[in-house]
């Protein structure tokens, strides 16, 4: 047994760290903080451009598509470093949609879409969820009907997060109304500037914007249906699979935890350094144990992927652990920082950059989004331990 | 024993609920989050006209002379209905002053809502009174307050501040005028949407000194904590009720999500926490009221209720999914209050210390 990174992996980690050291500065951190900690502003865009120039958008892409074909473990190292530095993560267009198109698209579709993605010319919003189709995605109702050489799309999507920036939507639509619900869905690309597309903002608790998307007789060319008709549900699952490593990454939680620890090191309360308080010490130590444990689950997922397995149970374990641990970090953090921890991120004296109260607001979403934790627990039961499904 | 409200208290609850259902709409909550407006003042006036601001103020000072438990019922229902925290703060201020200084000359104006009282207790780097550095000293024949208070709720919208300071002997309580000389108020943006401020007192004249020293301060803390427990219990009830209703409405996979066993278990766990917290809280409130607190029970009630409220909110959010996450959903207002109340009134560390001390020392 061996838990050490290979020299190649070690060198990769160093390379990523060096890049981050050169490109993540106070101004980017400031912008990130002002945008509710994770939003994308002009400096974040510059950072992403720099990543692209370095060829790292194609980190996980196969070499035949101009990618670097990095192993899952190397991708995991990258995600971990980026997230724990608080740098902007690669867009889902690059990490989730593009690899799906590579697997399922026709030659023509790959030729049409991949170079534009690679050049940063287009960006997708992910249009899976609907108001009535959340965890039960397969019950989605937005429909597309063929009319000559065009699809006519009608319906509404909910939580279409990037819609107000995106050039296109990666849309799950029902094209086979008579088929069983999982078999009646297709994936389609819809340009955001097509007539009949409209977007309405929805603001959520952590201060982030998402959107409702309305499609009213929107016409798109027949060739914009990607892959096979009726396979959309499985393609959506495939696209989500490509996000496994990010969803179960402990990087963000570790970053917030580190900010908390730094703040504790500095603070003096009631004339005594906060770090001497036995209660504070115990809480922080317990969280550190949990962060170590959660990190192992992410590592297991990456390793299993590199063995050519589909690590369904492993990635569910990581997702549950990280999402619920984020809630505990936020809670303990708010409590340790006390009244000082409630300042809004844009107050100059906000402790730990206002992150604890922000994580408190964000973390519930980590548990119900990306496949709610009850379903993840079911997956661990039947995929991990062979429990019967019925 | 009678671990449920009296018929009169039930009547009060029903009246508050009725008012909240009419006056505390989500549209207004979103506005009040930014700043007070005419509708918030109108609500304050309605509540004053109903006699609720002065519910716990002695009759001689123009109040109703109700007991602390009755005021806690009022506060708990106001919290359930998401009455603005500034208004709950006005009730808290009038009640607290009524308890510690029943003859105070300003009580009548608090009961009518003509004045509001902010309580300036905490300091930036101090959590316990013995570390406070704000002082009251006589200068030129006039007692004056010097020092800085942090995170003072409603400091800018209150006419009067009750400042916890120190003199040579220990904690002293003094009233100052918020708009008077030597008072500088800097408003803060806090995530709970309440209106806190840092306040500097540079020789602000004391308009009234509250007698009683450390005992009065101790009683003030008990009253604040009792009313905080009431707020937490009310909020927790609202979150549980909303979640129980939502899981019976929301369908996924062709069924109400309430039919998933995993969902039912979470509802059951919320129910256990809420029920236990409610009794611990009301036991502590009623005993504070009767001045019959025993040992560690206030610490225990605060630690348990504070923790339970936050946990119940997290589960409530989880079961609501995206629907509970939009800023318009009432759930998140409760979750903000849960965190904000816990860090001010229900910190675990001192509670554990006190309980361990009761057990071991
Ligand atoms: C800020 C934000 C951004 C988002 N961005 C996007 C996006 O860009 N694109 C997109 O397509 N979607 C997006 N989503 C949607 C997200 O994926 C959904 O919120 C998620 O799938 C859960 O669906 P729901 O909110 O409808 O919750 P529901 O499906 O109603 O679930 C609520 C709760 O019900 C319970 N439950 C449901 N099913 C089961 C079951 N089978 N067993 C046990 N319990 C169950 C769980 O407790 C669950 O948490 C976003 C959501 C948010 C809040």
């Amino acid at each position: 047994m061996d838990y050490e990174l290979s020299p190649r992996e070690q060198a990769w980690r160093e390379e990523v760290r060096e890049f981050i050291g050169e490109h993540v500065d106070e101004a980017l951190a400031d912008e990130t903080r002002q945008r509710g900690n994770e939003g994308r502003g002009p400096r974040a865009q510059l950072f992403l451009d720099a990543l692209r120039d370095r060829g790292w958008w194609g980190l996980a892409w196969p070499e035949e598509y101009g990618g670097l074909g990095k192993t899952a473990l190397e991708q995991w190292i990258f995600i971990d470093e980026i997230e724990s530095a608080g740098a902007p993560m690669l867009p889902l267009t690059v990490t989730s949609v593009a690899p799906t198109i590579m697997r399922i698209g026709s030659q023509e579709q790959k030729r049409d879409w991949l170079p534009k993605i690679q050049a940063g010319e287009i960006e997708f919003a992910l249009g899976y969820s609907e108001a009535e189709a959340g965890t039960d995605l397969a019950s989605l109702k937005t429909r597309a009907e063929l009319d000559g050489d065009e699809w006519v799309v009608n319906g509404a999507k909910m939580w279409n997060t990037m819609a107000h920036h995106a050039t296109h939507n990666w849309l799950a639509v029902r094209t086979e109304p008579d088929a069983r619900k999982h078999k009646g869905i297709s994936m389609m690309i819809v340009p955001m500037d097509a007539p009949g597309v409209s977007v309405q903002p929805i603001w959520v608790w952590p201060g982030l914007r998402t959107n409702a998307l309305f499609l009213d007789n929107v016409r798109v060319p027949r060739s914009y249906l990607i892959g096979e008709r009726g396979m959309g549900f499985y393609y959506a699952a495939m696209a989500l699979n490509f996000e496994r490593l990010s969803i179960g990454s402990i990087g963000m939680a570790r970053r917030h935890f580190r900010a908390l620890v730094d703040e504790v090191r500095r603070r003096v309360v009631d004339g005594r350094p906060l770090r001497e308080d036995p209660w504070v010490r115990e809480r922080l130590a317990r969280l550190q144990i949990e962060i170590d444990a959660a990190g192992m689950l992410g590592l297991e997922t990456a390793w299993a992927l590199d063995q050519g397995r589909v690590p369904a149970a492993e990635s569910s374990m990581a997702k549950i652990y990280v999402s619920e641990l984020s809630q505990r970090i936020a809670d303990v953090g708010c409590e340790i920082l006390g009244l000082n921890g409630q300042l809004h991120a844009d107050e100059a004296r906000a402790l730990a950059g206002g992150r604890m109260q922000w994580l408190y607001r964000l973390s519930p979403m980590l548990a119900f989004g990306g496949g709610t934790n009850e379903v993840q627990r079911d997956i661990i039961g039947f995929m991990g331990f062979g429990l019967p499904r019925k | 024993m009678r671990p449920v409200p009296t018929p009169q208290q039930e009547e009060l609850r029903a009246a508050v609920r009725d008012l909240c259902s009419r006056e505390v709409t989500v549209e207004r909550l979103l506005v009040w989050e930014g700043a007070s407006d005419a509708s918030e003042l109108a609500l304050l006036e309605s509540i004053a006209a109903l006699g609720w601001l002065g519910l716990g103020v002695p009759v001689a000072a123009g109040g109703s002379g109700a007991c602390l438990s009755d005021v806690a019922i009022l506060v708990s229902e106001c919290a359930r209905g998401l009455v603005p925290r500034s208004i709950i703060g006005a009730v808290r201020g009038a009640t607290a002053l009524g308890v510690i200084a029943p003859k105070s000359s300003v009580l009548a104006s608090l009961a009518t809502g003509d004045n509001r009282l902010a309580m300036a207790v905490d300091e930036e780097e101090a959590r316990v009174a013995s570390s406070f550095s704000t002082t009251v000293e006589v200068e030129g024949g006039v007692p004056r307050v010097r020092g800085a208070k942090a995170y003072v709720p409603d400091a800018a919208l209150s006419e009067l501040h009750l400042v916890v300071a120190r003199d040579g002997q220990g904690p002293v309580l003094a009233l100052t005028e918020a708009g008077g000389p030597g008072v500088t108020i800097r408003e803060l943006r806090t995530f709970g949407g309440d209106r806190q401020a840092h306040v500097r007192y540079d020789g602000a004249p004391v308009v009234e000194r509250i007698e009683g020293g450390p005992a009065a301060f101790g009683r003030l803390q008990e009253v604040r904590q009792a009313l905080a427990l009431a707020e937490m219990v009310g909020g927790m009830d609202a979150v549980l009720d909303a979640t129980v209703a939502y899981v019976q409405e929301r369908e996924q996979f062709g069924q109400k999500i309430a039919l998933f066993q995993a969902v039912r278990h979470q509802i059951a766990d919320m129910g256990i926490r809420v029920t236990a917290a409610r009794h611990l809280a009301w036991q502590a409130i009623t005993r504070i009221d009767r001045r019959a607190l025993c040992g560690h029970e206030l610490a225990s009630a605060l630690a348990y209720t504070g923790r339970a409220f936050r946990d119940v909110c997290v589960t409530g959010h989880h079961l609501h999914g995206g629907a509970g996450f939009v800023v318009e959903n009432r759930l998140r207002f409760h979750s903000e209050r849960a965190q904000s109340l816990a860090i001010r009134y229900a910190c675990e560390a001192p509670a554990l210390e006190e309980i361990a001390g009761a057990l071991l020392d």
Side-chain angles (χ1 to χ4, degrees):
Chain A
M1 275 218 283
D2 180 5
Y3 279 86
E4 309 317 315
L5 295 181
S6 70
R8 186 186 131 133
E9 289 153 354
Q10 194 60 48
W12 170 237
R13 190 186 276 278
E14 289 310 318
E15 192 181 343
V16 176
R17 280 193 183 158
E18 210 172 292
F19 180 89
I20 289 171
E22 283 163 18
H23 291 87
V24 177
D25 56 10
E26 268 308 301
L28 176 57
D30 260 9
E31 177 190 279
T32 315
R33 187 172 50 75
Q34 277 160 17
R35 295 190 172 243
N37 276 318
E38 307 292 298
R40 191 190 306 168
R43 287 175 193 281
Q45 192 56 54
L46 282 177
F47 178 81
L48 292 177
D49 291 344
L51 280 178
R52 194 188 56 232
D53 295 345
R54 183 74 168 246
W56 286 358
W57 279 28
L59 209 68
W61 298 2
E63 282 161 18
E64 56 182 301
Y65 295 105
L68 302 176
K70 291 278 181 199
T71 64
L73 193 56
E74 287 164 335
Q75 293 172 46
W76 178 83
I77 291 170
F78 176 81
I79 293 167
D80 193 54
E81 290 296 331
I82 293 276
E83 287 205 334
S84 84
M89 191 37 81
L90 286 174
L92 290 170
T93 301
V94 172
T95 54
S96 177
V97 178
T100 306
I101 296 176
M102 288 169 199
R103 295 268 179 100
I104 65 166
S106 65
Q107 286 311 322
E108 194 188 9
Q109 288 171 336
K110 292 180 200 173
R111 205 189 52 227
D112 283 350
W113 297 106
L114 293 177
K116 289 186 197 140
I117 293 177
Q118 217 154 6
E121 285 167 19
I122 60 176
E123 177 151 26
F124 292 99
L126 305 191
Y128 305 124
S129 306
E130 296 179 1
E132 304 304 323
T135 307
D136 180 15
L137 182 62
S139 65
L140 64 87
K141 292 204 172 68
T142 297
R143 62 185 195 283
E145 283 151 347
L146 209 48
D147 178 23
D149 252 357
E150 287 180 326
W151 291 102
V152 183
V153 189
N154 279 289
K157 291 285 169 183
M158 187 65 173
W159 318 116
N160 199 223
T161 299
M162 286 293 291
H164 56 300
H165 293 308
T167 56
H168 294 75
N169 232 292
W170 173 249
L171 206 71
V173 290
R174 191 161 296 283
T175 50
E176 327 298 315
D178 302 325
R180 294 205 0 240
K181 67 178 196 176
H182 291 80
K183 310 251 176 201
I185 298 168
S186 301
M187 284 313 306
M188 194 170 282
I189 292 177
V190 176
M192 290 301 293
D193 59 4
V197 175
S198 59
V199 172
Q200 223 176 59
I202 294 172
W203 292 95
V204 294
W205 192 30
L208 306 174
R209 176 179 168 172
T210 177
N211 303 284
L213 176 81
F214 301 95
L215 302 128
D216 180 18
N217 285 314
V218 178
R219 305 186 79 87
V220 294
R222 188 178 188 148
S223 63
Y224 281 27
L225 186 150
I226 306 295
E228 282 178 46
R229 278 177 72 157
M231 289 295 288
F233 181 79
Y234 306 97
Y235 297 160
M238 181 188 288
L240 201 64
N241 267 341
F242 289 119
E243 291 181 55
R244 275 180 203 283
L245 287 172
S246 323
I247 289 178
S249 164
I250 190 70
M252 180 180 83
R254 226 186 31 228
R255 164 163 52 99
H256 294 316
F257 179 68
R258 213 173 44 221
L260 173 63
V261 171
D262 287 347
E263 204 62 71
V264 167
R265 280 214 188 93
R266 282 193 289 271
R267 280 190 73 67
V268 174
V269 173
D270 296 331
R272 184 177 164 200
L274 196 52
R275 72 185 135 77
E276 287 178 7
D277 182 330
W279 180 86
V280 170
R281 295 176 79 84
E282 188 203 307
R283 289 301 130 132
L284 292 180
R286 282 189 186 285
L287 287 178
Q288 181 62 60
I289 296 170
E290 294 217 69
I291 286 171
D292 295 344
M296 287 296 152
L297 298 175
L299 204 60
E300 160 95 5
T301 307
W303 177 79
L305 275 169
D306 281 334
Q307 306 310 301
R309 296 209 336 254
V310 177
E314 292 87 340
S315 62
S316 294
M317 287 180 183
K319 191 262 169 175
I320 291 172
Y321 207 138
V322 168
S323 58
E324 295 176 358
L325 174 57
S326 298
Q327 296 171 351
R328 291 194 285 277
I329 293 175
D331 238 3
V332 172
C334 286
E335 179 130 20
I336 289 180
L337 299 182
L339 291 167
N340 316 72
Q342 27 158 18
L343 287 179
H344 219 272
D346 53 15
E347 281 276 348
R349 299 184 64 188
L351 294 191
R355 285 192 190 87
M356 289 303 129
Q357 50 87 4
W358 180 77
L359 190 61
Y360 174 72
R361 291 182 287 151
L362 178 85
S363 56
M365 175 181 147
L366 305 177
F368 67 72
T372 195
N373 283 3
E374 288 88 340
V375 171
Q376 304 296 331
R377 287 187 160 91
D378 284 340
I379 291 173
I380 296 170
F382 57 73
M383 301 293 280
F385 300 104
L387 299 183
R389 284 186 188 226
K390 283 273 172 215
Chain B
M1 197 163 82
R2 191 176 192 286
V4 288
T6 62
Q8 292 88 333
Q9 288 174 335
E10 285 295 2
E11 265 176 43
L12 175 60
R13 290 176 70 172
V16 180
R17 252 179 235 202
D18 180 52
L19 181 79
C20 291
S21 68
R22 280 182 284 114
E23 303 295 335
V24 188
T25 59
V26 167
E27 293 70 32
R28 286 185 178 170
L29 283 169
L30 291 169
V31 173
W32 295 337
E33 200 169 23
S36 308
D37 72 344
S39 64
E40 185 179 317
L41 282 178
L43 182 58
L44 178 72
E45 279 165 19
S46 310
I47 286 179
L50 286 160
W52 292 346
L53 288 183
L55 190 65
V57 170
V59 177
S64 309
C67 62
L68 182 63
S69 302
D70 288 348
V71 180
I73 289 277
L74 168 71
V75 163
S76 166
E77 253 347 278
C78 286
R80 170 203 282 271
L82 288 171
V83 165
R85 296 183 69 189
S86 63
I87 297 181
I88 295 178
V91 175
R92 192 195 320 278
T95 307
L97 195 68
V99 170
I100 59 170
K103 300 214 164 78
S104 166
S105 62
V106 303
L107 267 177
S109 68
L110 299 182
T112 54
D114 290 332
N115 283 330
R116 283 193 260 181
L117 179 69
M119 282 184 269
V121 182
D122 300 285
E123 295 186 7
E124 183 69 66
E125 294 198 331
R127 287 185 187 176
V128 294
S130 55
S131 311
F132 290 168
S133 58
T134 303
T135 56
V136 172
E137 272 161 28
V138 178
E139 297 170 21
V142 184
R144 295 181 185 276
V145 183
R146 286 196 185 275
K149 289 288 172 183
Y151 309 102
V152 180
D154 307 318
L157 30 103
S158 302
E159 291 75 12
L160 293 163
H161 289 182
L162 174 61
V163 186
V164 179
R166 285 154 56 81
D167 62 8
Q169 271 96 55
V172 290
L173 306 176
L175 288 176
T176 59
E177 283 176 357
V183 180
T184 321
I185 299 175
R186 187 168 76 76
E187 292 197 77
L188 301 168
R189 270 194 77 192
T190 51
F191 91 99
D194 55 354
R195 314 217 183 92
Q196 302 181 32
H198 286 340
V199 187
R200 278 209 62 78
Y201 302 94
D202 295 308
V206 172
V207 293
E208 192 176 314
R209 193 182 158 122
I210 313 296
E211 297 308 321
F217 176 59
R219 190 65 183 152
L220 174 72
Q221 291 294 68
E222 282 179 3
V223 172
R224 290 172 74 221
Q225 287 165 332
L227 296 181
L229 282 169
E231 266 191 274
M232 292 195 268
V233 167
M236 212 162 18
D237 270 340
V239 172
L240 178 59
D241 287 355
T243 310
V244 167
Y246 185 73
V247 299
Q248 295 178 80
E249 269 165 36
R250 176 69 172 169
E251 290 187 11
Q252 286 291 274
F253 303 95
Q255 63 179 57
K256 307 286 186 203
I257 60 170
L259 291 174
F260 291 114
Q261 193 176 30
V263 169
R264 301 155 87 92
H265 285 183
Q266 291 174 76
I267 294 283
D269 286 339
M270 288 170 87
I272 294 169
R273 302 295 293 279
V274 170
T275 306
R278 181 190 301 136
H279 290 306
L280 277 177
W282 281 107
Q283 173 178 269
I285 295 166
T286 51
R287 290 191 178 163
I288 288 172
D289 192 6
R290 290 188 284 112
R291 295 179 183 261
L293 265 183
C294 305
H296 66 271
E297 64 197 14
L298 176 56
S300 179
L302 285 166
Y304 188 88
T305 309
R307 177 80 269 141
F309 190 7
R310 283 170 291 174
D311 288 349
V312 161
C313 288
V314 168
T315 310
H317 274 294
H318 183 66
L319 295 176
H320 273 79
F325 226 57
V326 295
V327 289
E328 292 83 3
N329 196 293
R330 300 173 83 92
L331 187 56
R332 62 101 181 173
F333 291 97
H334 288 295
S335 304
E336 286 168 2
R337 291 185 185 197
Q339 189 63 260
S340 151
L341 284 164
I343 59 186
R344 187 180 295 275
Y345 299 106
C347 283
E348 201 177 57
L352 296 186
E353 191 60 43
E354 190 179 330
I355 296 165
L359 286 171
L360 302 169
D361 300 338

